[in-house]
């Protein structure tokens, strides 16, 4: 990497960011594509948030990603928000266009792409979504945008599932949306795809699972968006029972590549090389994640 006066700076803001994979992933993609760009991670305190966003304009930081806990808060500090990000209720990617900050969300498309890559279509399928926080909001909405037939949202706190469910139901009349308590999961075993959007099973609580996957039908696909650890207990149990499983790494990689595509306005190159970038990252990321834990 040749850093010089002309190097464009990109970054991640969040709190915490200490074990983030994003700098590794993004710097690899920049290097792979021969871009004179660098990606850093900044831990941002809430009290400094506004000043930091303004300083990004002053320093001409070309773009940044936003992670927990700022994906919603950032929306009040942008000049423009792309339609899908507005629908998904969160911004994870910001592009600085001559001092104008434009917000996008690449999580939804990153998730959808990872299903397509596994040969799973969204249209006309039944989804069971576990969790009703920010990640669930983005994923459930994206599924409705892509024409899912039915979405059932289950959450430990049922009120949150209800608020999210109603929000999606109001906007997408062609998708059936229902919600319930996570405790009633046995009522929804006819789903085609189960997506864990809770943090149950995430490092350091690796020995828990959002639901008992042994109750699921053998043709159900299990998707866990958690990537730390690479294989959660939920996925391990499902695999043992011969169910098809997808881990969170592919969504993480996809959303990163899609962010760069937006920042660098280089759709042709990035789409052409998507598979290659992804292939390299897939084979190395496990090592990187394990080193971070
Ligand atoms: P994110 O932005 O990653 O979605 P979040 O908005 O804090 O994070 O949401 C976390 C989700 O995980 C919530 O749905 C939460 O359930 P509650 O709304 O009841 O808090 C869910 N969650 C966290 N720990 C859980 C656990 N041990 N079992 C089941 N659900 C859990």
């Amino acid at each position: 990497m040749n850093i010089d006066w002309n190097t464009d700076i990109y970054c991640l803001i969040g709190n915490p960011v200490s074990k983030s994979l994003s700098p590794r992933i993004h710097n690899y993609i920049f290097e792979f594509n021969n871009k004179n760009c660098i990606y850093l991670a900044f831990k941002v305190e809430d009290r400094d948030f506004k000043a930091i966003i303004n300083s990004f304009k002053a320093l001409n930081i070309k773009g940044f990603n936003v992670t927990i806990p700022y994906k919603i808060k950032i929306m009040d500090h942008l000049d423009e928000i792309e339609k899908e990000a507005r629908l998904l209720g969160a911004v994870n990617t910001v592009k600085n266009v001559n001092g104008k900050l434009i917000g996008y969300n690449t999580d939804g498309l990153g998730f959808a792409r990872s299903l397509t890559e596994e040969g799973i279509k969204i249209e006309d399928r039944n989804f069971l979504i576990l969790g009703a926080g920010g990640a669930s909001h983005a994923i459930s909405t994206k599924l409705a945008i892509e024409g899912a037939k039915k979405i059932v949202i289950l959450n430990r706190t049922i009120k949150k599932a209800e608020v999210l469910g109603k929000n999606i139901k109001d906007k997408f009349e062609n998708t059936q949306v229902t919600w319930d308590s996570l405790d009633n999961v046995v009522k929804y075993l006819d789903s085609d795809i189960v997506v864990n959007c809770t943090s149950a099973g995430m490092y350091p609580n690796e020995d828990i699972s959002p639901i008992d996957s042994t109750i699921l039908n053998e043709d159900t696909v299990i998707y866990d968006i958690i990537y730390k650890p690479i294989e959660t207990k939920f996925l391990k149990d499902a695999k043992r029972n011969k169910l098809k499983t997808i881990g969170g790494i592919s969504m993480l990689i996809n959303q990163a590549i899609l962010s760069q595509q937006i920042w660098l306005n280089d759709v042709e190159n990035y789409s052409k090389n998507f598979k290659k970038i992804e292939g390299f990252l897939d084979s190395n990321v496990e090592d990187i994640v394990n080193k971070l834990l």
Side-chain angles (χ1 to χ4, degrees):
M1 195 179 280
N2 268 327
I3 298 168
D4 60 16
W5 64 274
N6 203 21
T7 302
D8 285 334
I9 302 174
Y10 294 84
C11 64
L12 170 71
I13 56 167
N15 193 356
V17 293
S18 58
K19 301 223 168 184
S20 172
L21 282 177
S22 293
R24 293 243 184 204
I25 290 180
H26 279 283
N27 286 318
Y28 170 75
I29 309 172
F30 283 142
E31 226 174 309
F32 183 94
N33 284 306
N34 233 341
K35 305 287 182 187
N36 190 1
C37 303
I38 187 168
Y39 188 101
L40 306 166
F42 294 119
K43 177 182 172 201
V44 171
E45 299 297 340
D46 195 65
R47 61 172 186 275
D48 302 325
F49 192 81
K50 192 169 179 210
I52 285 178
I53 302 303
N54 284 334
S55 74
F56 284 174
K57 287 189 183 183
L59 290 168
N60 197 19
I61 302 281
K62 300 285 175 161
F64 56 96
N65 286 129
V66 186
T67 189
I68 289 168
Y70 298 126
K71 286 187 185 185
I72 296 171
K73 185 182 172 105
I74 186 68
M75 297 173 91
D76 291 333
H77 299 261
L78 301 173
D79 300 294
E80 232 175 74
I81 299 174
E82 187 224 23
K83 188 174 167 220
E84 180 153 312
R86 259 187 277 125
L87 279 173
L88 269 51
V91 161
N92 78 323
T93 302
V94 178
K95 181 173 181 173
N96 180 359
V97 184
N98 302 321
K100 195 165 124 185
L101 297 183
I102 307 172
Y104 300 83
N105 187 312
T106 64
D107 287 333
L109 188 54
F111 170 78
R113 238 195 124 113
S114 62
L115 284 179
T116 315
E117 283 165 357
E118 292 289 334
I120 298 163
K121 68 181 188 86
I122 295 175
E123 217 182 338
D124 296 328
R125 308 300 295 278
N126 296 336
F127 286 83
L128 180 62
I129 306 295
L130 313 177
S136 171
H137 186 146
I139 284 173
S140 306
T141 309
K142 183 64 179 172
L143 290 172
I145 292 173
E146 298 299 325
K149 183 172 162 198
K150 185 173 166 197
I151 301 172
V152 178
I153 302 168
L154 302 185
N155 199 40
R156 195 171 55 174
T157 315
I158 190 168
K159 187 68 200 162
K160 274 167 74 181
E162 183 184 342
V163 171
L164 175 57
K166 282 187 173 156
N167 177 303
I168 299 172
K169 206 181 167 109
D170 285 349
K171 291 184 184 135
F172 302 92
E173 50 189 37
N174 293 330
T175 300
Q176 295 170 50
V177 186
T178 53
W179 51 87
D180 206 335
S181 158
L182 203 51
D183 294 334
N184 291 333
V185 62
V186 284
K187 284 165 51 187
Y188 307 98
L189 301 182
D190 58 341
S191 312
D192 300 311
I193 298 131
V194 178
V195 187
N196 177 35
C197 298
T198 76
S199 41
M202 192 190 293
Y203 174 84
N205 302 309
E206 292 166 81
D207 47 355
I208 59 167
S209 217
I211 56 166
D212 174 10
S213 64
T214 59
I215 61 170
L216 299 168
N217 294 329
E218 59 186 15
D219 52 357
T220 315
V221 175
I222 312 290
Y223 193 133
D224 198 332
I225 66 163
I226 294 173
Y227 56 85
K228 273 187 235 170
I230 297 266
E231 195 168 67
T232 57
K233 175 172 169 18
F234 186 43
L235 290 187
K236 271 191 198 138
D237 292 347
K239 234 182 196 175
R240 214 174 294 124
N241 288 312
K242 311 267 185 299
L243 276 79
K244 180 173 173 58
T245 60
I246 307 173
I249 284 292
S250 59
M251 175 178 169
L252 178 78
I253 292 173
N254 287 349
Q255 61 78 23
I257 303 175
L258 292 164
S259 290
Q260 290 204 12
Q261 217 167 281
I262 290 169
W263 291 329
L264 297 160
N265 213 4
D266 192 358
V267 179
E268 199 187 328
N269 172 46
Y270 277 86
S271 359
K272 200 173 69 202
N273 289 314
F274 212 104
K275 279 262 150 243
K276 262 198 222 159
I277 302 169
E278 223 186 341
F280 172 85
L281 286 167
D282 263 344
S283 51
N284 286 276
V285 94
E286 195 158 333
D287 206 36
I288 301 171
V289 174
N290 290 333
K291 271 188 199 138
L292 284 173
L293 295 182

